[in-house]
Amino acid sequence: MASITPISQSQSLFKKPQFIILNKPKAQFLSVPTLNFSQRKARMVVVSATAAAEKSKKRYPGAAKGFVEEMRFVAMKLHTRDQSKEGEKEPEGQPVGKWEPSVEGYLKFLVDSKLVYDTLDKIIEKAAFPEYAEFRNTGLERSESLAKDLEWFKAQGYAIPDPSSPGVSYAQYLEELSEKDPQAFICHFYNIYFAHSAGGRMIGKKVTEKILNNKELEFYKWDGDLSQLLQNVREKLNLVAENWTREEKNHCLEETEKSFKFSGDILRLILS
């Protein structure tokens, strides 16, 4: 016969469940240390120094070979594509081979060029900044050669004109610049002499073929090996630039376009 569970035992089956109320956990936060003003300032200095160091590591085109190569790189970019494979400027007017120069225009170019070279000689001799003295008697000077050429033209019966606005303006600018801004002046010094030794010679040859029966002027002759004379000046320029900050070097490079403009104004006298 089935057993019957006593009521006292079965009542436990119908009792309401009991719950234990736990205390609500308190939210816990990580303690983050705050930086005082001095600490924040120190941290900013470290970050700024790091950024400056990274900037100083920036590679400038040609820098590995010396600052002259940097100047050359910037100058070549300002040539037209028909002048150099490195050129980026669009051609303006006809190429040199199609020029129709005149003796009168060429004389204006030579006279204004002589004024600029005379001015460079005076600046270097005066040496308002000590580094200018490094460039005395480099063998690249052109004033005496131009004086001989102008005497030759005079002997042929040509009237020698006075310097015109392009040459006068450039000479005045160089004088003022040399007294206050050596980096910018050195940019002009480099571009005037090195451009004449390269593209200037080519232009001179094309012009004299057309108007002077291929006569080679003294302006395009140098005593000694031109390549060695140029190398000597390169080395001096690089040594001078070693004492410049990166900002001063960049300032020098930024003057290149102005140098091209002044020289271009004088060059165009050939076609006047």
Side-chain angles (χ1 to χ4, degrees), residues 47-60 245-248 250 254:
V47 172
S48 298
T50 302
E54 290 298 323
K55 185 177 180 180
S56 68
K57 292 179 182 178
K58 179 181 176 181
R59 301 297 297 174
Y60 290 83
T245 64
R246 184 66 252 178
E247 288 73 19
E248 288 172 331
N250 290 345
E254 289 165 0

PDB file of all heavy atoms in Angstrom, residues 47-60 245-248 250 254:
ATOM      1  N   VAL A  47      57.903  66.923 -27.207  1.00  0.00           N
ATOM      2  CA  VAL A  47      57.230  66.679 -28.483  1.00  0.00           C
ATOM      3  C   VAL A  47      57.756  67.620 -29.551  1.00  0.00           C
ATOM      4  O   VAL A  47      58.016  67.225 -30.687  1.00  0.00           O
ATOM      5  CB  VAL A  47      55.696  66.853 -28.327  1.00  0.00           C
ATOM      6  CG1 VAL A  47      55.021  66.794 -29.693  1.00  0.00           C
ATOM      7  CG2 VAL A  47      55.139  65.777 -27.412  1.00  0.00           C
ATOM      8  N   SER A  48      57.926  68.903 -29.209  1.00  0.00           N
ATOM      9  CA  SER A  48      58.435  69.881 -30.158  1.00  0.00           C
ATOM     10  C   SER A  48      59.854  69.536 -30.596  1.00  0.00           C
ATOM     11  O   SER A  48      60.199  69.644 -31.767  1.00  0.00           O
ATOM     12  CB  SER A  48      58.420  71.279 -29.536  1.00  0.00           C
ATOM     13  OG  SER A  48      57.108  71.660 -29.214  1.00  0.00           O
ATOM     14  N   ALA A  49      60.669  69.111 -29.650  1.00  0.00           N
ATOM     15  CA  ALA A  49      62.051  68.737 -29.972  1.00  0.00           C
ATOM     16  C   ALA A  49      62.080  67.540 -30.917  1.00  0.00           C
ATOM     17  O   ALA A  49      62.880  67.479 -31.843  1.00  0.00           O
ATOM     18  CB  ALA A  49      62.817  68.425 -28.698  1.00  0.00           C
ATOM     19  N   THR A  50      61.177  66.603 -30.667  1.00  0.00           N
ATOM     20  CA  THR A  50      61.100  65.417 -31.533  1.00  0.00           C
ATOM     21  C   THR A  50      60.693  65.812 -32.945  1.00  0.00           C
ATOM     22  O   THR A  50      61.251  65.323 -33.932  1.00  0.00           O
ATOM     23  CB  THR A  50      60.086  64.402 -30.963  1.00  0.00           C
ATOM     24  OG1 THR A  50      60.486  64.055 -29.635  1.00  0.00           O
ATOM     25  CG2 THR A  50      60.037  63.153 -31.832  1.00  0.00           C
ATOM     26  N   ALA A  51      59.705  66.702 -33.035  1.00  0.00           N
ATOM     27  CA  ALA A  51      59.240  67.154 -34.345  1.00  0.00           C
ATOM     28  C   ALA A  51      60.350  67.894 -35.082  1.00  0.00           C
ATOM     29  O   ALA A  51      60.537  67.718 -36.290  1.00  0.00           O
ATOM     30  CB  ALA A  51      58.020  68.060 -34.181  1.00  0.00           C
ATOM     31  N   ALA A  52      61.098  68.717 -34.347  1.00  0.00           N
ATOM     32  CA  ALA A  52      62.207  69.455 -34.954  1.00  0.00           C
ATOM     33  C   ALA A  52      63.284  68.506 -35.452  1.00  0.00           C
ATOM     34  O   ALA A  52      63.872  68.706 -36.515  1.00  0.00           O
ATOM     35  CB  ALA A  52      62.792  70.437 -33.944  1.00  0.00           C
ATOM     36  N   ALA A  53      63.526  67.461 -34.666  1.00  0.00           N
ATOM     37  CA  ALA A  53      64.536  66.478 -35.078  1.00  0.00           C
ATOM     38  C   ALA A  53      64.110  65.756 -36.348  1.00  0.00           C
ATOM     39  O   ALA A  53      64.918  65.505 -37.246  1.00  0.00           O
ATOM     40  CB  ALA A  53      64.763  65.470 -33.948  1.00  0.00           C
ATOM     41  N   GLU A  54      62.810  65.435 -36.415  1.00  0.00           N
ATOM     42  CA  GLU A  54      62.308  64.766 -37.614  1.00  0.00           C
ATOM     43  C   GLU A  54      62.425  65.675 -38.821  1.00  0.00           C
ATOM     44  O   GLU A  54      62.766  65.253 -39.915  1.00  0.00           O
ATOM     45  CB  GLU A  54      60.843  64.355 -37.413  1.00  0.00           C
ATOM     46  CG  GLU A  54      60.649  63.217 -36.419  1.00  0.00           C
ATOM     47  CD  GLU A  54      61.339  61.940 -36.883  1.00  0.00           C
ATOM     48  OE1 GLU A  54      61.335  61.662 -38.098  1.00  0.00           O
ATOM     49  OE2 GLU A  54      61.902  61.239 -36.033  1.00  0.00           O
ATOM     50  N   LYS A  55      62.140  66.992 -38.609  1.00  0.00           N
ATOM     51  CA  LYS A  55      62.226  67.948 -39.699  1.00  0.00           C
ATOM     52  C   LYS A  55      63.649  68.091 -40.193  1.00  0.00           C
ATOM     53  O   LYS A  55      63.915  68.216 -41.381  1.00  0.00           O
ATOM     54  CB  LYS A  55      61.688  69.307 -39.243  1.00  0.00           C
ATOM     55  CG  LYS A  55      61.640  70.348 -40.364  1.00  0.00           C
ATOM     56  CD  LYS A  55      61.034  71.644 -39.857  1.00  0.00           C
ATOM     57  CE  LYS A  55      60.983  72.687 -40.971  1.00  0.00           C
ATOM     58  NZ  LYS A  55      60.404  73.966 -40.498  1.00  0.00           N
ATOM     59  N   SER A  56      64.598  68.066 -39.243  1.00  0.00           N
ATOM     60  CA  SER A  56      66.001  68.223 -39.626  1.00  0.00           C
ATOM     61  C   SER A  56      66.503  67.043 -40.440  1.00  0.00           C
ATOM     62  O   SER A  56      67.483  67.152 -41.160  1.00  0.00           O
ATOM     63  CB  SER A  56      66.862  68.399 -38.371  1.00  0.00           C
ATOM     64  OG  SER A  56      66.890  67.203 -37.611  1.00  0.00           O
ATOM     65  N   LYS A  57      65.817  65.917 -40.333  1.00  0.00           N
ATOM     66  CA  LYS A  57      66.204  64.733 -41.082  1.00  0.00           C
ATOM     67  C   LYS A  57      65.669  64.760 -42.513  1.00  0.00           C
ATOM     68  O   LYS A  57      65.989  63.903 -43.315  1.00  0.00           O
ATOM     69  CB  LYS A  57      65.692  63.472 -40.372  1.00  0.00           C
ATOM     70  CG  LYS A  57      66.362  63.195 -39.036  1.00  0.00           C
ATOM     71  CD  LYS A  57      65.769  61.945 -38.398  1.00  0.00           C
ATOM     72  CE  LYS A  57      66.398  61.673 -37.032  1.00  0.00           C
ATOM     73  NZ  LYS A  57      65.802  60.483 -36.385  1.00  0.00           N
ATOM     74  N   LYS A  58      64.817  65.754 -42.815  1.00  0.00           N
ATOM     75  CA  LYS A  58      64.235  65.843 -44.150  1.00  0.00           C
ATOM     76  C   LYS A  58      65.334  65.964 -45.187  1.00  0.00           C
ATOM     77  O   LYS A  58      66.256  66.752 -45.054  1.00  0.00           O
ATOM     78  CB  LYS A  58      63.299  67.055 -44.230  1.00  0.00           C
ATOM     79  CG  LYS A  58      62.668  67.236 -45.602  1.00  0.00           C
ATOM     80  CD  LYS A  58      61.771  68.473 -45.607  1.00  0.00           C
ATOM     81  CE  LYS A  58      61.202  68.721 -46.996  1.00  0.00           C
ATOM     82  NZ  LYS A  58      60.351  69.940 -47.039  1.00  0.00           N
ATOM     83  N   ARG A  59      65.215  65.200 -46.235  1.00  0.00           N
ATOM     84  CA  ARG A  59      66.220  65.212 -47.272  1.00  0.00           C
ATOM     85  C   ARG A  59      65.877  66.254 -48.325  1.00  0.00           C
ATOM     86  O   ARG A  59      64.760  66.317 -48.818  1.00  0.00           O
ATOM     87  CB  ARG A  59      66.315  63.833 -47.932  1.00  0.00           C
ATOM     88  CG  ARG A  59      66.656  62.706 -46.977  1.00  0.00           C
ATOM     89  CD  ARG A  59      68.017  62.895 -46.351  1.00  0.00           C
ATOM     90  NE  ARG A  59      69.087  62.872 -47.336  1.00  0.00           N
ATOM     91  CZ  ARG A  59      70.363  63.119 -47.062  1.00  0.00           C
ATOM     92  NH1 ARG A  59      70.716  63.420 -45.832  1.00  0.00           N
ATOM     93  NH2 ARG A  59      71.267  63.074 -48.000  1.00  0.00           N
ATOM     94  N   TYR A  60      66.834  67.096 -48.657  1.00  0.00           N
ATOM     95  CA  TYR A  60      66.651  68.100 -49.689  1.00  0.00           C
ATOM     96  C   TYR A  60      67.374  67.627 -50.946  1.00  0.00           C
ATOM     97  O   TYR A  60      68.495  67.125 -50.866  1.00  0.00           O
ATOM     98  CB  TYR A  60      67.191  69.447 -49.222  1.00  0.00           C
ATOM     99  CG  TYR A  60      66.356  70.064 -48.129  1.00  0.00           C
ATOM    100  CD1 TYR A  60      66.529  69.697 -46.797  1.00  0.00           C
ATOM    101  CD2 TYR A  60      65.379  71.006 -48.425  1.00  0.00           C
ATOM    102  CE1 TYR A  60      65.755  70.249 -45.787  1.00  0.00           C
ATOM    103  CE2 TYR A  60      64.599  71.562 -47.427  1.00  0.00           C
ATOM    104  CZ  TYR A  60      64.786  71.183 -46.116  1.00  0.00           C
ATOM    105  OH  TYR A  60      64.015  71.726 -45.121  1.00  0.00           O
ATOM    106  N   THR A 245      72.339  77.799 -41.097  1.00  0.00           N
ATOM    107  CA  THR A 245      71.263  76.943 -40.600  1.00  0.00           C
ATOM    108  C   THR A 245      70.444  76.471 -41.788  1.00  0.00           C
ATOM    109  O   THR A 245      70.581  76.982 -42.908  1.00  0.00           O
ATOM    110  CB  THR A 245      70.345  77.723 -39.642  1.00  0.00           C
ATOM    111  OG1 THR A 245      69.703  78.780 -40.385  1.00  0.00           O
ATOM    112  CG2 THR A 245      71.132  78.308 -38.484  1.00  0.00           C
ATOM    113  N   ARG A 246      69.568  75.496 -41.547  1.00  0.00           N
ATOM    114  CA  ARG A 246      68.701  75.023 -42.615  1.00  0.00           C
ATOM    115  C   ARG A 246      67.790  76.147 -43.120  1.00  0.00           C
ATOM    116  O   ARG A 246      67.533  76.259 -44.323  1.00  0.00           O
ATOM    117  CB  ARG A 246      67.850  73.849 -42.114  1.00  0.00           C
ATOM    118  CG  ARG A 246      66.957  73.189 -43.170  1.00  0.00           C
ATOM    119  CD  ARG A 246      67.777  72.515 -44.245  1.00  0.00           C
ATOM    120  NE  ARG A 246      67.740  73.213 -45.510  1.00  0.00           N
ATOM    121  CZ  ARG A 246      68.415  72.832 -46.581  1.00  0.00           C
ATOM    122  NH1 ARG A 246      69.210  71.783 -46.540  1.00  0.00           N
ATOM    123  NH2 ARG A 246      68.345  73.522 -47.707  1.00  0.00           N
ATOM    124  N   GLU A 247      67.357  76.996 -42.201  1.00  0.00           N
ATOM    125  CA  GLU A 247      66.498  78.117 -42.591  1.00  0.00           C
ATOM    126  C   GLU A 247      67.250  79.090 -43.494  1.00  0.00           C
ATOM    127  O   GLU A 247      66.691  79.608 -44.467  1.00  0.00           O
ATOM    128  CB  GLU A 247      65.974  78.840 -41.347  1.00  0.00           C
ATOM    129  CG  GLU A 247      64.927  78.078 -40.561  1.00  0.00           C
ATOM    130  CD  GLU A 247      65.501  76.894 -39.791  1.00  0.00           C
ATOM    131  OE1 GLU A 247      66.741  76.871 -39.559  1.00  0.00           O
ATOM    132  OE2 GLU A 247      64.717  75.995 -39.422  1.00  0.00           O
ATOM    133  N   GLU A 248      68.517  79.336 -43.194  1.00  0.00           N
ATOM    134  CA  GLU A 248      69.324  80.239 -44.024  1.00  0.00           C
ATOM    135  C   GLU A 248      69.574  79.636 -45.402  1.00  0.00           C
ATOM    136  O   GLU A 248      69.558  80.351 -46.422  1.00  0.00           O
ATOM    137  CB  GLU A 248      70.650  80.542 -43.328  1.00  0.00           C
ATOM    138  CG  GLU A 248      70.503  81.457 -42.115  1.00  0.00           C
ATOM    139  CD  GLU A 248      71.779  81.604 -41.320  1.00  0.00           C
ATOM    140  OE1 GLU A 248      72.598  80.654 -41.309  1.00  0.00           O
ATOM    141  OE2 GLU A 248      71.961  82.668 -40.701  1.00  0.00           O
ATOM    142  N   ASN A 250      67.548  77.551 -46.950  1.00  0.00           N
ATOM    143  CA  ASN A 250      66.279  77.644 -47.670  1.00  0.00           C
ATOM    144  C   ASN A 250      66.047  79.067 -48.172  1.00  0.00           C
ATOM    145  O   ASN A 250      65.523  79.271 -49.271  1.00  0.00           O
ATOM    146  CB  ASN A 250      65.118  77.215 -46.767  1.00  0.00           C
ATOM    147  CG  ASN A 250      65.125  75.726 -46.487  1.00  0.00           C
ATOM    148  OD1 ASN A 250      65.813  74.954 -47.161  1.00  0.00           O
ATOM    149  ND2 ASN A 250      64.376  75.307 -45.495  1.00  0.00           N
ATOM    150  N   GLU A 254      65.424  80.237 -52.032  1.00  0.00           N
ATOM    151  CA  GLU A 254      64.208  80.968 -52.406  1.00  0.00           C
ATOM    152  C   GLU A 254      64.508  82.204 -53.254  1.00  0.00           C
ATOM    153  O   GLU A 254      63.620  82.718 -53.933  1.00  0.00           O
ATOM    154  CB  GLU A 254      63.451  81.395 -51.139  1.00  0.00           C
ATOM    155  CG  GLU A 254      62.793  80.221 -50.414  1.00  0.00           C
ATOM    156  CD  GLU A 254      62.375  80.571 -48.994  1.00  0.00           C
ATOM    157  OE1 GLU A 254      62.609  81.734 -48.578  1.00  0.00           O
ATOM    158  OE2 GLU A 254      61.829  79.688 -48.301  1.00  0.00           O
TER     159      GLU A 254
END
